[in-house]
């Protein structure tokens, strides 16, 4: 990995000079901040390398051929590190946002929020639909954790709403300007059952689907 590599983020954005060796160190540190016992040997290295490549649009390291214009849908059984990786990505991108403040416009960076699907449903139940507006804004990137485990529908004074369906629909409309990521135990083919065919179809436009396999890591490292 060469230092001070000039990267073309998009055809209409000027190349940005960055030290990739330092950025990789920050990337690794983000994982340890989220989980001090994190052991990269227990996670598929192609997934980790491809996520770093996704941030910087590095085809050479993008082993999973991720689409740089889409977010992530991490799916699979419990305890495989899905949430931890997205939390680490959030820390890394928010740190990147701060470290390169003068280049924010070139990076097209935004702050990244993380909410569980159940938390979003509870926000609606407490304060109604207007309380969800910030989560649907294209001014932020959003991680929705544990998709499929929230109450459906949520209720607010007699009004019912499939909250995650509502948020995904609006964030789909903003997909060119902001990024959405999700973790779930659902399989891609099960999304329609929970959120309808309309959302399921649009998820293919919003997400790079990455399946996590194997036995739980919690007994090994977490």
């Amino acid at each position: 990995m060469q230092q001070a590599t000039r990267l073309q983020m998009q055809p209409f954005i000027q190349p940005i000079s960055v030290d990739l060796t330092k950025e990789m160190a920050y990337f690794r540190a983000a994982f340890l901040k989220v989980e001090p016992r994190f052991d990269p040997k227990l996670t598929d290295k192609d997934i980790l390398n491809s996520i770093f490549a996704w941030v910087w649009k590095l085809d050479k390291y993008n082993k999973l051929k991720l689409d740089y214009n889409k977010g992530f849908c991490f799916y699979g059984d419990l305890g495989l590190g899905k949430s931890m990786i997205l939390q680490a990505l959030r820390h890394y991108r928010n740190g990147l946002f701060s470290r390169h403040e003068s280049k924010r416009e070139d990076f097209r960076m935004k702050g990244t929020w993380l909410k569980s699907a159940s938390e979003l449903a509870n926000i609606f139940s407490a304060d109604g639909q207007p309380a969800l507006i910030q989560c649907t804004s294209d001014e932020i990137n959003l991680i929705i954790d544990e998709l499929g485990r929230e109450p459906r529908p949520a209720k607010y004074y007699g009004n019912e709403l499939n909250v995650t369906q509502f948020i995904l629909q609006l964030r789909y409309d903003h997909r060119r300007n902001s990024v959405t990521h999700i973790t779930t135990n659902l399989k891609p083919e099960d999304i329609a059952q929970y959120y309808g065919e309309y959302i399921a179809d649009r998820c293919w436009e919003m997400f790079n689907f990455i399946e996590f396999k194997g036995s739980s890591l919690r007994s090994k490292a977490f």
Side-chain angles (χ1 to χ4, degrees), residues 9-154:
M9 302 297 286
Q10 289 285 0
F12 55 86
I13 295 177
Q14 294 299 315
I16 300 172
S17 183
V18 296
D19 187 326
L20 287 178
T21 301
K22 286 185 177 180
E23 289 302 332
M24 179 59 82
Y26 283 121
F27 186 65
R28 291 170 177 164
F31 282 84
L32 294 174
K33 184 174 183 178
V34 171
E35 176 47 70
R37 295 172 295 172
F38 171 69
D39 183 352
K41 295 179 182 178
L42 299 178
T43 303
D44 188 322
K45 66 179 182 179
D46 284 344
I47 291 178
L48 297 180
N49 288 339
S50 294
I51 291 171
F52 183 76
W54 175 87
V55 174
W56 294 104
K57 299 176 172 59
L58 294 169
D59 291 343
K60 180 178 180 180
Y61 301 101
N62 186 4
K63 302 300 183 182
L64 300 183
K65 307 300 181 185
L66 300 176
D67 186 327
Y68 302 131
N69 295 311
K70 298 179 181 179
F72 300 122
C73 172
F74 292 167
Y75 69 98
D77 291 335
L78 297 171
L80 299 181
K82 302 184 296 298
S83 298
M84 183 271 296
I85 290 176
L86 281 184
Q87 289 176 33
L89 177 63
R90 173 177 177 264
H91 279 293
Y92 175 67
R93 283 176 64 86
N94 285 349
L96 185 68
F97 187 68
S98 300
R99 289 195 302 278
H100 299 278
E101 184 173 0
S102 64
K103 299 177 180 178
R104 287 182 180 182
E105 189 171 327
D106 289 334
F107 280 118
R108 298 189 303 155
M109 293 293 292
K110 304 173 187 289
T112 302
W113 291 9
L114 186 150
K115 303 285 186 183
S116 72
S118 294
E119 184 178 2
L120 292 171
N122 288 338
I123 289 172
F124 171 78
S125 295
D127 297 308
Q129 191 168 312
L132 301 172
I133 290 176
Q134 286 184 305
C135 294
T136 62
S137 169
D138 65 354
E139 294 299 317
I140 64 159
N141 297 320
L142 179 66
I143 297 170
I144 304 177
D145 197 22
E146 298 183 335
L147 189 85
R149 299 186 68 184
E150 74 280 12
R152 296 177 311 278

